[in-house]
Each structure stands twice: as C-alpha cells, then as structure tokens.
C-alpha cells in the first residue's frame, strides 16, 4: 500500500516515490515483523500469529511505537502528505487492533487489508471496489488456517474500513 500511495503522490518521479515507500515500509512492516520474529526466536512468543493473548501486548505496542517513529521520520524528512496520511491510517488501525486484541483476537490481517483497500478506493475511485475480493481471500485464508473465526475476520475487516477511510479522508 505505501508503494502505491507514494508512487501516485510523487508521479512521475517514481524513484523518489519508491524511496519514500521503502522508508514507510521499514517502520510499518519490517520493524514490527522483526519484533515478532525475535520474540518467537527468543522464546518469548509461542508463534508468529501471537495466539496466546497474554503475549500480544508487547509486540503490538512495539509495532505501534515503530509506526509512530516512521510517521515522525516521514514528516521531518518532508514525505508526501498522502503517504504520511497512509502511515497514520496504519497506526490508527493497529491501535484499534491492539486495543481489541487485549480481550478478543480480532483479525489484524483483515483489518489492515480492508483499511488499505478502503484507502485505495478513496485515492483511485470506485473501480477499485473489486479489490475487496482480495480482502475476502485474506479473510478466508485466516479462517482456513484456523487462526480466526469468521466473526473475528469480519470484525477486523469492518474495523479496518471504519478506522482507515475516515482517518485518510481527514489527513489525505
């Protein structure tokens, strides 16, 4: 998602857009996944799905702090407003996911995917509503793997859209 938004915001300077996207992805995906990976590797987390509720708080808060650092870096370095807005959307969706996941395992995958597709529809128009088919596939895979119930996936998707789209509209 950051790649699409950054390239769109910096067109035709695609190399600049790619650089901004990589910076955004570092803080919003690479570092948070690294926190989880290290937690599993060091035995603090039982698995990369963080199935044990008591283990969720630290990696999710670490992810939130990483995304906040990414927002600060993007703002200070003068990233395109649309990209900063997109990373703020990621933060807002992750904040809701973190809060809910303290008591119930809402699907973060569905939330992020639905929020991202919602923003794509805002940026590129209603023709991209078909991309919600990808959200359905992601949701199906989460249920099929046994990581979530249908309700957890649906709740994640709804949360992603209800948090992501208004946040982007306010900031983008």
């Amino acid at each position: 998602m950051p790649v699409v938004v950054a390239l769109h915001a910096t067109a035709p300077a695609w190399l600049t857009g790619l650089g901004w996207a990589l910076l955004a992805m570092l803080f919003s995906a690479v570092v948070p996944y690294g926190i989880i990976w290290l937690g599993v590797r060091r035995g603090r987390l039982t698995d990369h799905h963080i199935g044990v509720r008591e283990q969720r708080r630290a990696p999710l808060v670490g992810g939130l702090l990483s995304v906040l650092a990414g927002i600060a870096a993007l703002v200070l370095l003068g990233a395109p407003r649309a990209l900063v807005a997109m990373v703020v959307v990621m933060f807002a969706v992750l904040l809701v996911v973190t809060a809910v996941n303290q008591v119930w395992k809402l699907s973060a995958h569905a939330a992020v995917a639905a929020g991202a597709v919602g923003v794509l529809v805002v940026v590129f128009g209603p023709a991209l509503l078909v991309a919600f088919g990808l959200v359905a596939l992601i949701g199906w895979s989460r249920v099929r793997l046994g990581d979530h119930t249908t309700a957890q996936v649906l709740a994640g998707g709804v949360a992603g859209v209800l948090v992501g789209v208004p946040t982007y509209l306010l900031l983008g």
Side-chain angles (χ1 to χ4, degrees):
M1 187 65 207
V3 174
V4 173
V5 172
L7 290 176
H8 182 261
T10 59
W14 68 270
L15 197 55
T16 301
L18 188 59
W20 286 121
L22 290 172
L23 182 62
M25 290 176 357
L26 172 68
F27 287 101
S28 62
V30 175
V31 171
Y33 183 76
I35 291 168
I36 294 169
W37 182 81
L38 279 174
V40 171
R41 189 157 167 83
R42 292 181 177 164
R44 292 187 203 132
L45 303 174
T46 53
D47 62 274
H48 71 279
H49 298 289
I50 316 175
V52 178
R53 182 180 312 153
E54 295 76 23
Q55 295 176 354
R56 293 181 196 148
R57 181 172 293 144
L60 289 171
V61 169
L64 283 167
L65 292 173
S66 177
V67 176
L68 271 179
I71 292 167
L74 291 167
V75 169
L76 290 172
L77 295 170
R81 182 176 177 88
L83 180 61
V84 174
M86 184 65 234
V87 178
V88 171
V89 165
M90 291 177 191
F91 177 80
V93 170
L94 182 58
L95 185 62
V96 169
V97 167
T98 298
V100 172
N101 274 336
Q102 299 311 303
V103 294
W104 190 57
K105 193 177 179 189
L106 179 117
S107 173
H109 287 87
V112 170
V117 169
V119 170
L120 280 176
V121 171
V122 168
V123 173
F124 296 105
L128 286 183
L129 284 169
V130 299
F132 276 105
L134 295 172
V135 177
L137 285 173
I138 290 167
W140 170 82
S141 74
R142 305 308 296 158
V143 173
R144 177 86 170 135
L145 287 171
D147 286 334
H148 292 286
T149 65
T150 301
Q152 292 168 334
V153 167
L154 290 172
V158 169
V161 170
L162 291 180
V163 172
V165 170
T167 302
Y168 189 82
L169 287 171
L170 284 171
L171 302 173

